[in-house]
Amino acid sequence: MVLNIITIGLKLLSAYAMFTFALPKLRGLAVSVKSFTQFGEVLGISGKGFMHFTGTLELLTALVLLASVFLSEKAGNITTITGYILLFGTMAGALVTEYFIRETPVPMLVSLAITLLLIAVSQLIIKFI
């Protein structure tokens, strides 16, 4: 029972964080445009396109994790695994971006990405044990 409450809490926390990350990118807020313009220059791609792709992926991750809270056990397990794989990949990409593409990594973003990455790994391990 307690583990179930913690699991649901981690899903909701992760979904909330991903919504929070997605919205500035999808709304095209100045801080996101500035960062993704720089990322695009380094990568040789469209910064705006990369920003919208990343925001859409983050929103999808949030929706999948949120849906997993409300689905039946079997469907919820598949959705949970999918959501945490998306979260893991997105946060791994965020860390690569922070350390290898951004001029100076933002400590708060690195900390959040590591925390969400650890949540994803721990929950995937629990699902497969």
Side-chain angles (χ1 to χ4, degrees), residues 23-119:
L23 290 179
K25 294 171 187 81
L26 295 174
R27 293 180 60 208
L29 296 185
V31 66
S32 292
V33 171
K34 181 180 176 188
S35 294
F36 278 85
T37 298
Q38 189 256 323
F39 301 159
E41 289 172 1
V42 171
L43 296 171
I45 60 174
S46 165
K48 265 192 164 177
F50 184 41
M51 178 180 71
H52 288 115
F53 170 78
T54 303
T56 301
L57 184 60
E58 291 168 344
L59 181 62
L60 176 66
T61 302
L63 291 172
V64 170
L65 286 168
L66 188 60
S68 71
V69 173
F70 300 104
L71 293 174
S72 66
E73 187 173 342
K74 184 177 179 184
N77 283 337
I78 293 167
T79 309
T80 296
I81 291 166
T82 302
Y84 281 126
I85 289 171
L86 285 169
L87 181 64
F88 177 86
T90 304
M91 291 302 100
L95 289 170
V96 167
T97 301
E98 284 298 317
Y99 284 111
F100 298 106
I101 299 173
R102 191 185 294 273
E103 291 176 7
T104 305
V106 178
M108 181 191 72
L109 295 177
V110 169
S111 296
L112 288 169
I114 290 171
T115 300
L116 290 168
L117 188 77
L118 291 174
I119 289 171

Side-chain angles (χ1 to χ4, degrees), residues 15-25 58:
Y16 174 76
M18 296 310 289
F19 274 122
T20 302
F21 292 149
L23 290 179
K25 294 171 187 81
E58 291 168 344

